[in-house]
Amino acid sequence: TNAAPNPFNGNVTLGFESPAGVSADKPMVRVYNILGQAVRSIPLVSRTTGSVEWDSRDDAGGQVASGVYFARIESARRVSNTLRLLYVK
């Protein structure tokens, strides 16, 4: 799992390889703020490897504030390693 560019301004590409068994559990990338609050959920439709892009917006479409964010792949049964992201406006 990786992120590029990091730090980022605007969009960041999150490369991933889902842990074994995740693909059957409707996996998604979840992005959390420094307080541990989920700010964005990006579904991974039937994919176990690849990349997704996060546009630095929350689930409501609002621009997030500059700061540290964490991204990880989650499913009903598994959680991947956590990526640390730095968003700078």
Side-chain angles (χ1 to χ4, degrees):
T1 311
N2 59 50
N6 193 17
F8 70 102
N9 178 345
N11 294 348
V12 62
T13 300
L14 306 169
F16 65 89
E17 186 170 324
S18 298
V22 167
S23 61
D25 292 336
K26 298 180 183 174
M28 64 177 44
V29 171
R30 285 227 166 101
V31 179
Y32 295 88
N33 63 19
I34 194 75
L35 300 175
Q37 300 163 322
V39 295
R40 185 71 184 259
S41 298
I42 306 167
L44 300 176
V45 182
S46 302
R47 294 191 294 176
T48 56
T49 61
S51 64
V52 295
E53 194 167 287
W54 178 42
D55 60 2
S56 64
R57 296 191 177 276
D58 61 21
D59 281 334
Q63 187 68 50
V64 298
S66 292
V68 175
Y69 292 86
F70 301 94
R72 65 185 184 189
I73 300 171
E74 299 180 357
S75 73
R77 291 185 246 172
R78 300 198 187 259
V79 175
S80 73
N81 294 336
T82 302
L83 288 173
R84 182 180 178 272
L85 308 170
L86 179 59
Y87 175 59
V88 182
K89 283 188 183 180

